[in-house]
């Protein structure tokens, strides 16, 4: 584990940029960026397009360590280059931004009010590659739709089981049990989730470090107690479908949470924009998210 990067994530001011759209979400991300499906053919061209989008974001002067602590990458992005350097090395060496890797393979069918992660075949090989690519940590997502105690227990147990495997490689796992912001019993789900997270944290061996990525809670400061746990490096909040303005407003009320936004970060960016316009919009977004993260 890179102790300089660990200290930056644990104590630094800023937010985590999520640049990890993958698979089925990539066409949607490109469309929001102004690139329609008729501009590419097949997966390779699609991933080249999305890497071009991410490269433009990363190379922008607005994407800097003054406001951004880390960036979450998709596996395909980890294996690509920016200015002759692997993406993770470019982020850290040129930008001072800590690289993370999305490792999950999507969601299983909903049962017990939740969607567990699908199995992750070849995870050990992927983690070995991540270490060689100088990745600091990982991220994996599951989703809670209902306040179902059994389903939420299963989600948290699965997340922590995989997290311990990840930690064995010296990587810091981001545990992301997202609560659907449209759930009619979102607040009740979050209370159950908090209880299960606390229970699983208490089982971790000394020295194991994790991060939590959680939906912005209905009850302000719900997760503040978890931030004090010695196993928790940082708690970050996902935007979950809120607009940038909504997400920033909710985040500013949460003590100890910082942002890890994806759609809210890239909102308003377009392939058709000039560099000046693109950089100006991204600068405004990063500043707004940063300010909400340090409130």
């Amino acid at each position: 584990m890179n102790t300089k990067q660990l200290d930056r994530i644990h104590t630094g001011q800023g937010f985590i940029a999520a640049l990890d759209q993958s698979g089925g979400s990539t066409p949607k991300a490109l469309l929001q960026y102004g690139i329609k499906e008729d501009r590419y053919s097949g997966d390779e061209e699609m991933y080249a397009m999305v890497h071009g989008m991410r490269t433009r974001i990363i190379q922008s002067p607005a994407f800097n360590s003054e406001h951004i602590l880390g960036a979450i990458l998709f596996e395909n992005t980890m294996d690509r280059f920016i200015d002759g350097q692997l993406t993770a090395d470019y982020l850290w060496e040129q930008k001072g931004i800590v690289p993370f890797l999305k490792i999950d393979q999507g969601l299983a069918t909903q049962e017990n009010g939740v969607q567990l992660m699908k199995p992750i075949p070849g995870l050990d090989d992927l983690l070995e590659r991540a270490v060689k690519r100088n990745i600091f940590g990982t991220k994996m997502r599951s989703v809670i739709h209902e306040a179902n105690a059994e389903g939420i227990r299963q989600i948290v147990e699965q997340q922590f089981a995989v997290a311990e495997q990840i930690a064995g490689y010296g990587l810091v796992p981001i545990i992301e049990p997202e609560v659907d912001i449209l759930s009619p019993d979102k607040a009740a789900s979050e209370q159950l989730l908090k209880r299960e997270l606390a229970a699983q944290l208490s089982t971790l061996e000394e020295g194991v470090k994790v991060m939590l990525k959680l939906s912005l809670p209905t009850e302000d400061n719900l997760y503040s107690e978890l931030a004090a746990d010695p196993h928790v490096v940082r708690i970050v909040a996902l935007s979950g479908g809120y607009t940038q303005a909504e997400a920033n407003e909710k985040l500013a009320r949460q003590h100890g949470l910082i942002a890890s936004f994806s759609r809210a970060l890239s909102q308003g960016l377009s392939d058709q924009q000039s560099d000046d316009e693109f950089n100006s919009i991204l600068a405004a977004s990063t500043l707004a998210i940063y300010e909400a993260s340090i409130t």
Side-chain angles (χ1 to χ4, degrees):
M1 185 185 300
N2 185 317
T3 55
K4 187 174 181 181
Q5 292 178 346
L6 177 64
D7 182 66
R8 176 151 175 75
I9 294 297
H10 182 53
T11 64
Q13 289 194 327
F15 67 93
I16 309 293
L19 304 175
D20 59 334
Q21 300 96 340
S22 62
S25 63
T26 299
K28 183 178 179 181
L30 286 173
L31 185 61
Q32 290 173 337
Y33 184 55
I35 296 178
K36 297 180 180 180
E37 292 189 29
D38 59 8
R39 287 182 57 187
Y40 55 86
S41 176
D43 286 351
E44 180 54 36
E45 288 187 14
M46 178 183 72
Y47 288 131
M49 286 275 191
V50 82
H51 186 64
M53 177 186 76
R54 289 167 178 154
T55 296
R56 192 180 187 193
I57 291 172
I58 291 169
Q59 289 188 314
S60 169
F63 197 87
N64 60 64
S65 58
E66 180 180 356
H67 298 140
I68 300 170
L69 297 175
I72 304 171
L73 308 174
F74 169 48
E75 180 183 353
N76 189 280
T77 307
M78 176 184 75
D79 291 331
R80 291 180 183 264
F81 293 79
I82 299 177
D83 281 355
Q85 288 186 284
L86 285 163
T87 305
D89 291 336
Y90 183 92
L91 278 168
W92 180 242
E93 295 174 14
Q94 305 301 325
K95 292 282 188 167
I97 293 172
V98 179
F100 292 82
L101 175 67
K102 167 188 158 66
I103 63 160
D104 68 81
Q105 298 295 313
L107 301 170
T109 303
Q110 182 173 330
E111 291 185 28
N112 293 328
V114 304
Q115 287 181 275
L116 297 170
M117 293 184 289
K118 290 180 178 178
I120 310 174
L123 178 57
D124 287 306
D125 290 340
L126 177 59
L127 296 175
E128 288 180 2
R129 283 176 46 227
V131 171
K132 292 177 182 177
R133 296 281 196 260
N134 296 320
I135 294 292
F136 170 77
T138 64
K139 191 214 78 161
M140 50 193 175
R141 171 178 174 262
S142 21
V143 178
I144 297 166
H145 298 283
E146 300 173 7
N148 181 304
E150 175 62 17
I152 292 173
R153 182 189 62 79
Q154 290 173 339
I155 263 196
V156 177
E157 286 184 350
Q158 182 193 43
Q159 284 271 350
F160 272 80
V162 180
E164 291 191 65
Q165 182 178 355
I166 293 161
Y169 285 85
L171 299 165
V172 175
I174 299 177
I175 292 166
E176 184 185 3
E178 175 182 348
V179 178
D180 186 347
I181 64 170
L182 300 178
S183 170
D185 50 10
K186 177 173 177 285
S189 293
E190 290 164 345
Q191 292 290 345
L192 292 168
L193 175 60
K194 179 184 176 182
R195 184 184 71 191
E196 294 297 334
L197 288 170
Q200 287 296 320
L201 285 168
S202 71
T203 69
L204 293 178
E205 294 183 5
E206 185 177 356
V208 174
K209 300 294 184 183
V210 301
M211 295 171 63
L212 304 176
K213 183 169 180 176
L214 307 172
S215 302
L216 288 158
T218 303
E219 177 186 326
D220 289 348
N221 300 310
L222 176 65
Y223 300 118
S224 295
E225 294 173 23
L226 298 180
D229 189 286
H231 296 289
V232 177
V233 177
R234 207 75 186 251
I235 301 181
V236 302
L238 58 100
S239 51
Y242 291 121
T243 66
Q244 185 186 114
E246 289 172 326
N248 287 342
E249 186 273 329
K250 292 177 183 295
L251 177 64
R253 302 200 306 265
Q254 312 303 322
H255 178 71
L257 266 67
I258 64 172
S260 178
F261 293 169
S262 173
R263 282 166 289 187
L265 171 65
S266 59
Q267 182 177 308
L269 298 179
S270 171
D271 177 58
Q272 286 76 46
Q273 290 162 347
S274 68
D275 285 344
D276 286 345
E277 186 179 6
F278 181 94
N279 293 334
S280 176
I281 292 171
L282 184 59
S285 293
T286 56
L287 179 60
I289 297 169
Y290 170 81
E291 289 178 342
S293 293
I294 65 172
T295 300

mmCIF file of all heavy atoms in Angstrom, residues 18 20 29 32 39 42 71 82 93 138 164 170 176 179 187 190 199 202 211 214 217 231 233 264 267 271 279 288 291:
data_model
loop_
_atom_site.group_PDB
_atom_site.id
_atom_site.type_symbol
_atom_site.label_atom_id
_atom_site.label_comp_id
_atom_site.label_asym_id
_atom_site.label_seq_id
_atom_site.Cartn_x
_atom_site.Cartn_y
_atom_site.Cartn_z
ATOM 1 N N ALA A 18 -15.571 9.901 -10.068
ATOM 2 C CA ALA A 18 -15.929 8.580 -10.566
ATOM 3 C C ALA A 18 -15.954 8.607 -12.094
ATOM 4 O O ALA A 18 -16.845 9.202 -12.699
ATOM 5 C CB ALA A 18 -17.283 8.152 -10.008
ATOM 6 N N ASP A 20 -15.860 5.703 -14.016
ATOM 7 C CA ASP A 20 -15.831 4.248 -14.151
ATOM 8 C C ASP A 20 -17.032 3.651 -14.858
ATOM 9 O O ASP A 20 -17.313 2.462 -14.708
ATOM 10 C CB ASP A 20 -15.707 3.608 -12.761
ATOM 11 C CG ASP A 20 -16.851 3.992 -11.829
ATOM 12 O OD1 ASP A 20 -17.453 5.064 -12.027
ATOM 13 O OD2 ASP A 20 -17.136 3.220 -10.896
ATOM 14 N N ALA A 29 -23.301 7.068 -21.156
ATOM 15 C CA ALA A 29 -22.342 8.102 -20.794
ATOM 16 C C ALA A 29 -21.887 8.872 -22.030
ATOM 17 O O ALA A 29 -21.755 10.109 -22.000
ATOM 18 C CB ALA A 29 -21.137 7.479 -20.083
ATOM 19 N N GLN A 32 -24.732 11.200 -23.235
ATOM 20 C CA GLN A 32 -24.800 12.405 -22.414
ATOM 21 C C GLN A 32 -23.687 13.381 -22.776
ATOM 22 O O GLN A 32 -23.830 14.595 -22.607
ATOM 23 C CB GLN A 32 -24.724 12.038 -20.931
ATOM 24 C CG GLN A 32 -25.968 11.322 -20.426
ATOM 25 C CD GLN A 32 -25.825 10.805 -19.010
ATOM 26 O OE1 GLN A 32 -24.717 10.584 -18.522
ATOM 27 N NE2 GLN A 32 -26.948 10.595 -18.339
ATOM 28 N N ARG A 39 -21.780 6.982 -34.254
ATOM 29 C CA ARG A 39 -20.406 7.468 -34.424
ATOM 30 C C ARG A 39 -19.352 6.409 -34.104
ATOM 31 O O ARG A 39 -18.161 6.654 -34.244
ATOM 32 C CB ARG A 39 -20.167 8.714 -33.566
ATOM 33 C CG ARG A 39 -20.850 9.961 -34.111
ATOM 34 C CD ARG A 39 -20.570 11.182 -33.281
ATOM 35 N NE ARG A 39 -19.141 11.466 -33.135
ATOM 36 C CZ ARG A 39 -18.652 12.414 -32.333
ATOM 37 N NH1 ARG A 39 -19.476 13.167 -31.611
ATOM 38 N NH2 ARG A 39 -17.352 12.613 -32.256
ATOM 39 N N GLY A 42 -19.016 -1.279 -32.686
ATOM 40 C CA GLY A 42 -18.369 -2.322 -31.896
ATOM 41 C C GLY A 42 -17.770 -1.785 -30.604
ATOM 42 O O GLY A 42 -17.594 -0.575 -30.409
ATOM 43 N N ALA A 71 -9.489 9.254 -8.312
ATOM 44 C CA ALA A 71 -10.340 8.997 -9.472
ATOM 45 C C ALA A 71 -10.547 7.493 -9.612
ATOM 46 O O ALA A 71 -9.590 6.717 -9.501
ATOM 47 C CB ALA A 71 -9.730 9.566 -10.743
ATOM 48 N N ILE A 82 -2.279 7.561 -21.347
ATOM 49 C CA ILE A 82 -2.431 9.000 -21.561
ATOM 50 C C ILE A 82 -1.041 9.593 -21.678
ATOM 51 O O ILE A 82 -0.220 9.460 -20.755
ATOM 52 C CB ILE A 82 -3.207 9.678 -20.407
ATOM 53 C CG1 ILE A 82 -4.618 9.100 -20.287
ATOM 54 C CG2 ILE A 82 -3.268 11.189 -20.612
ATOM 55 C CD1 ILE A 82 -5.420 9.651 -19.127
ATOM 56 N N GLU A 93 1.352 10.673 -11.050
ATOM 57 C CA GLU A 93 2.630 11.351 -11.294
ATOM 58 C C GLU A 93 2.465 12.735 -11.908
ATOM 59 O O GLU A 93 3.256 13.645 -11.630
ATOM 60 C CB GLU A 93 3.519 10.479 -12.182
ATOM 61 C CG GLU A 93 3.941 9.178 -11.509
ATOM 62 C CD GLU A 93 4.705 8.263 -12.434
ATOM 63 O OE1 GLU A 93 5.141 8.737 -13.526
ATOM 64 O OE2 GLU A 93 4.875 7.074 -12.097
ATOM 65 N N THR A 138 -9.937 -0.213 -4.848
ATOM 66 C CA THR A 138 -10.955 -0.737 -5.762
ATOM 67 C C THR A 138 -12.332 -0.227 -5.353
ATOM 68 O O THR A 138 -12.520 0.301 -4.258
ATOM 69 C CB THR A 138 -10.975 -2.270 -5.734
ATOM 70 O OG1 THR A 138 -11.363 -2.705 -4.424
ATOM 71 C CG2 THR A 138 -9.611 -2.843 -6.083
ATOM 72 N N GLU A 164 -12.278 -8.224 1.994
ATOM 73 C CA GLU A 164 -11.151 -8.871 2.669
ATOM 74 C C GLU A 164 -10.210 -9.523 1.661
ATOM 75 O O GLU A 164 -8.989 -9.518 1.843
ATOM 76 C CB GLU A 164 -11.671 -9.881 3.682
ATOM 77 C CG GLU A 164 -12.365 -9.222 4.872
ATOM 78 C CD GLU A 164 -12.657 -10.197 5.998
ATOM 79 O OE1 GLU A 164 -11.704 -10.725 6.594
ATOM 80 O OE2 GLU A 164 -13.849 -10.422 6.280
ATOM 81 N N GLY A 170 -3.106 -5.742 -0.575
ATOM 82 C CA GLY A 170 -2.590 -4.424 -0.208
ATOM 83 C C GLY A 170 -3.363 -3.280 -0.814
ATOM 84 O O GLY A 170 -2.912 -2.136 -0.793
ATOM 85 N N GLU A 176 -19.524 -0.294 -1.705
ATOM 86 C CA GLU A 176 -20.603 0.582 -2.180
ATOM 87 C C GLU A 176 -21.946 -0.150 -2.205
ATOM 88 O O GLU A 176 -22.363 -0.667 -3.241
ATOM 89 C CB GLU A 176 -20.291 1.133 -3.574
ATOM 90 C CG GLU A 176 -21.348 2.119 -4.058
ATOM 91 C CD GLU A 176 -21.123 2.593 -5.484
ATOM 92 O OE1 GLU A 176 -20.185 2.118 -6.141
ATOM 93 O OE2 GLU A 176 -21.911 3.451 -5.943
ATOM 94 N N VAL A 179 -28.128 2.793 -1.813
ATOM 95 C CA VAL A 179 -29.563 2.779 -1.542
ATOM 96 C C VAL A 179 -30.244 3.611 -2.621
ATOM 97 O O VAL A 179 -29.913 4.783 -2.813
ATOM 98 C CB VAL A 179 -29.895 3.344 -0.146
ATOM 99 C CG1 VAL A 179 -31.406 3.353 0.076
ATOM 100 C CG2 VAL A 179 -29.200 2.530 0.945
ATOM 101 N N ALA A 187 -35.188 5.831 4.032
ATOM 102 C CA ALA A 187 -34.665 6.116 5.369
ATOM 103 C C ALA A 187 -34.571 4.844 6.206
ATOM 104 O O ALA A 187 -33.587 4.637 6.936
ATOM 105 C CB ALA A 187 -35.552 7.149 6.064
ATOM 106 N N GLU A 190 -31.625 2.775 5.109
ATOM 107 C CA GLU A 190 -30.356 3.341 5.571
ATOM 108 C C GLU A 190 -30.080 3.007 7.038
ATOM 109 O O GLU A 190 -28.929 2.775 7.417
ATOM 110 C CB GLU A 190 -30.358 4.847 5.337
ATOM 111 C CG GLU A 190 -30.269 5.192 3.858
ATOM 112 C CD GLU A 190 -30.649 6.626 3.525
ATOM 113 O OE1 GLU A 190 -31.260 7.312 4.380
ATOM 114 O OE2 GLU A 190 -30.353 7.058 2.401
ATOM 115 N N ALA A 199 -21.687 -3.766 12.161
ATOM 116 C CA ALA A 199 -21.449 -5.150 12.569
ATOM 117 C C ALA A 199 -20.288 -5.763 11.801
ATOM 118 O O ALA A 199 -19.431 -6.444 12.376
ATOM 119 C CB ALA A 199 -22.722 -5.975 12.370
ATOM 120 N N SER A 202 -16.781 -4.443 12.703
ATOM 121 C CA SER A 202 -16.273 -4.990 13.971
ATOM 122 C C SER A 202 -15.600 -6.344 13.800
ATOM 123 O O SER A 202 -14.883 -6.798 14.692
ATOM 124 C CB SER A 202 -17.421 -5.103 14.985
ATOM 125 O OG SER A 202 -18.320 -6.147 14.630
ATOM 126 N N MET A 211 -12.938 1.738 2.583
ATOM 127 C CA MET A 211 -13.699 2.961 2.409
ATOM 128 C C MET A 211 -15.156 2.588 2.190
ATOM 129 O O MET A 211 -15.446 1.468 1.744
ATOM 130 C CB MET A 211 -13.161 3.776 1.228
ATOM 131 C CG MET A 211 -11.741 4.281 1.436
ATOM 132 S SD MET A 211 -11.006 5.032 -0.045
ATOM 133 C CE MET A 211 -12.092 6.439 -0.295
ATOM 134 N N LEU A 214 -21.562 5.599 -0.044
ATOM 135 C CA LEU A 214 -22.952 5.470 0.367
ATOM 136 C C LEU A 214 -23.816 6.547 -0.265
ATOM 137 O O LEU A 214 -23.344 7.654 -0.529
ATOM 138 C CB LEU A 214 -23.047 5.559 1.895
ATOM 139 C CG LEU A 214 -22.138 4.588 2.672
ATOM 140 C CD1 LEU A 214 -22.164 4.912 4.160
ATOM 141 C CD2 LEU A 214 -22.550 3.140 2.423
ATOM 142 N N PRO A 217 -27.623 10.337 2.672
ATOM 143 C CA PRO A 217 -28.673 9.820 3.551
ATOM 144 C C PRO A 217 -29.847 10.777 3.741
ATOM 145 O O PRO A 217 -29.696 11.999 3.672
ATOM 146 C CB PRO A 217 -27.937 9.608 4.874
ATOM 147 C CG PRO A 217 -26.837 10.625 4.861
ATOM 148 C CD PRO A 217 -26.404 10.712 3.417
ATOM 149 N N HIS A 231 -11.028 1.224 11.064
ATOM 150 C CA HIS A 231 -10.875 0.532 9.784
ATOM 151 C C HIS A 231 -11.259 1.420 8.596
ATOM 152 O O HIS A 231 -10.914 1.095 7.460
ATOM 153 C CB HIS A 231 -11.760 -0.719 9.750
ATOM 154 C CG HIS A 231 -11.376 -1.757 10.749
ATOM 155 N ND1 HIS A 231 -10.234 -2.515 10.641
ATOM 156 C CD2 HIS A 231 -11.991 -2.168 11.892
ATOM 157 C CE1 HIS A 231 -10.155 -3.352 11.658
ATOM 158 N NE2 HIS A 231 -11.216 -3.166 12.435
ATOM 159 N N VAL A 233 -11.086 4.410 6.170
ATOM 160 C CA VAL A 233 -10.201 5.468 5.674
ATOM 161 C C VAL A 233 -11.003 6.732 5.377
ATOM 162 O O VAL A 233 -10.596 7.845 5.715
ATOM 163 C CB VAL A 233 -9.456 5.005 4.402
ATOM 164 C CG1 VAL A 233 -8.581 6.128 3.839
ATOM 165 C CG2 VAL A 233 -8.621 3.767 4.696
ATOM 166 N N ALA A 264 -22.962 13.680 -11.780
ATOM 167 C CA ALA A 264 -22.963 15.061 -11.312
ATOM 168 C C ALA A 264 -21.673 15.780 -11.685
ATOM 169 O O ALA A 264 -21.666 16.997 -11.887
ATOM 170 C CB ALA A 264 -23.181 15.113 -9.804
ATOM 171 N N GLN A 267 -21.820 16.488 -15.670
ATOM 172 C CA GLN A 267 -23.023 17.190 -16.120
ATOM 173 C C GLN A 267 -22.651 18.448 -16.898
ATOM 174 O O GLN A 267 -21.856 19.269 -16.444
ATOM 175 C CB GLN A 267 -23.880 17.564 -14.906
ATOM 176 C CG GLN A 267 -25.188 18.251 -15.254
ATOM 177 C CD GLN A 267 -26.026 18.515 -13.990
ATOM 178 O OE1 GLN A 267 -26.276 17.613 -13.189
ATOM 179 N NE2 GLN A 267 -26.431 19.756 -13.799
ATOM 180 N N ASP A 271 -18.887 16.754 -26.181
ATOM 181 C CA ASP A 271 -17.858 16.561 -27.194
ATOM 182 C C ASP A 271 -17.762 17.749 -28.146
ATOM 183 O O ASP A 271 -16.704 18.018 -28.719
ATOM 184 C CB ASP A 271 -18.205 15.283 -27.972
ATOM 185 C CG ASP A 271 -17.257 15.005 -29.118
ATOM 186 O OD1 ASP A 271 -16.052 14.892 -28.869
ATOM 187 O OD2 ASP A 271 -17.735 14.904 -30.266
ATOM 188 N N ASN A 279 -13.436 23.295 -20.356
ATOM 189 C CA ASN A 279 -12.654 23.491 -19.132
ATOM 190 C C ASN A 279 -13.373 24.402 -18.146
ATOM 191 O O ASN A 279 -13.294 24.209 -16.927
ATOM 192 C CB ASN A 279 -11.275 24.057 -19.465
ATOM 193 C CG ASN A 279 -10.413 23.074 -20.224
ATOM 194 O OD1 ASN A 279 -10.601 21.853 -20.114
ATOM 195 N ND2 ASN A 279 -9.465 23.579 -21.000
ATOM 196 N N ALA A 288 -17.637 23.474 -7.263
ATOM 197 C CA ALA A 288 -18.885 23.329 -6.499
ATOM 198 C C ALA A 288 -18.886 22.055 -5.689
ATOM 199 O O ALA A 288 -19.312 22.037 -4.514
ATOM 200 C CB ALA A 288 -20.068 23.367 -7.460
ATOM 201 N N GLU A 291 -16.393 22.375 -2.763
ATOM 202 C CA GLU A 291 -16.903 23.210 -1.674
ATOM 203 C C GLU A 291 -17.955 22.478 -0.854
ATOM 204 O O GLU A 291 -18.015 22.618 0.371
ATOM 205 C CB GLU A 291 -17.471 24.515 -2.236
ATOM 206 C CG GLU A 291 -16.381 25.455 -2.759
ATOM 207 C CD GLU A 291 -16.924 26.729 -3.371
ATOM 208 O OE1 GLU A 291 -18.132 26.755 -3.708
ATOM 209 O OE2 GLU A 291 -16.153 27.700 -3.501
#
